[in-house]
Amino acid sequence: MSTPRAFAESATSPQMAELSAYMSAARARALPADVAEQAKHHLLDTLASIISGSRLAPGAAAQRYLGMYAGKGSATIPGTALSAPPLEAAVANGVMAHADETDDSNNAGRWHPGCAVVPAALAAAEELGGDGTALLNAVTLGYDVGTRIILAMFGENAKASYDVSVSVATHSIAGTFGAAAAACCVAGLDAQQMRWALGYAAQQSSGTRAWQRDTDHIEKGFVFGGMPARNGLTSALLVKAGWTGVDDIFTGADNFFATYAPKAEPERLVEKLGTRYDIALTDIKKWTVGSPIQAPLDGLEAIRKKHPFEANEVKRVTIRLAPPVAAIVDNRDIPDICLQHMVAVMLLDKTVSFHAAHDDARMHEPTALRERQKVDLVRDDELTKFLPVRVTLVEVELSDGTRLSERVTAVRGTPRNPMTRAEVIDKARDLVAPVLGRDTSGRLIDTIYAIEQVADVRSLRPLLRGG
């Protein structure tokens, strides 16, 4: 005998009806060719971030967790020989994807999509089955839904100002909804089930910006990647198992927006749905360093191409950033988020590899310290008006008096200055080859760019496993 509902259910809003219908059709919907290409870039970039992250401290922490509590399971932990049940795999892979500042980021939604969406979609596909096209479509949908949740919550404030005026973590909120959408897409849920799953995602939505005080990047990896990947996947698996729920979590009494963002604009949930693909509007980092350091390295590279010079010829390097951006990377004690050290490495190596960006010992080497002393970081209030676009001025003064400069207004890897397929592959190979070997890395890259030919995502396992 069924139990009658204690409270009357509110009607489904037009926005929820449109969103859930779009989500339920996404698995079989053909992506435009250019969007599919971008989706492959982001899928590869995130898998490469997971694999390289397996060798960093947050990755080691994730693997210790699996070793102590998770046991064996159906889901792959890329870069390792481990496997785990799907929910635990989502946690571990999410943390490894954001083990440092290698993964992608979406400025409009104030989140890092790949580290939440891809682990949830991959675990769902390994548990429930799915081909490469379903995986690609699911990942693309996750980016769309997560971004639109934040834009609906905060409107133009989410993208017009450098930071939102609340302490909730947009990264974990968007990540939970994005991961849920991706996992639900893999699971093949219908529109009604999608609405229920969004309700479970809302109930699990959590996180505060206290992650900014995490010095080891472990809690940050959990907030950005591990937690939302697990929560989103949980939402999908619960509904796949037959659970029901609230028909529209975005309207009615005690709805999600009333709780988290009373001034929300729900119409943004479906704004340009099907014509604006947010995966194509998400940044891929050319350099495996913190976002505020991307433009300075771009600027140095551009200057050097026009006027080659050696490190010993440099008298002074001046980097101008907006104050809130500069504060993130000013003389930090972690190499990949220390602007002065990364500029020193760029002067010496003429590039910045993943290894160089994570070489703690090098921060104390006399050669690097000598170049670091040449670097001035100027907090320029005039650049604040361009945020969230991180306009940067790079000035190099040589010992002979020559002065060189570059104004960077579109960082390489952003939608206004996208990376080529070759550049994305070069980055992925730099991240993956030290872990998987050059041959396996090459096969993985080729397979991702032909993902539509993969009949079962589980066949990727031999290409993802490390020793």
Side-chain angles (χ1 to χ4, degrees), residues 425-447:
I425 288 174
D426 284 346
K427 176 189 173 182
R429 189 175 287 114
D430 182 45
L431 295 174
V432 175
V435 181
L436 302 184
R438 188 169 184 84
D439 290 343
T440 301
S441 300
R443 292 197 302 273
L444 175 62
I445 291 167
D446 291 343
T447 301

Side-chain angles (χ1 to χ4, degrees), residues 289-301:
V289 300
S291 293
I293 307 176
Q294 301 289 317
L297 296 185
D298 279 355
L300 279 173
E301 183 179 59

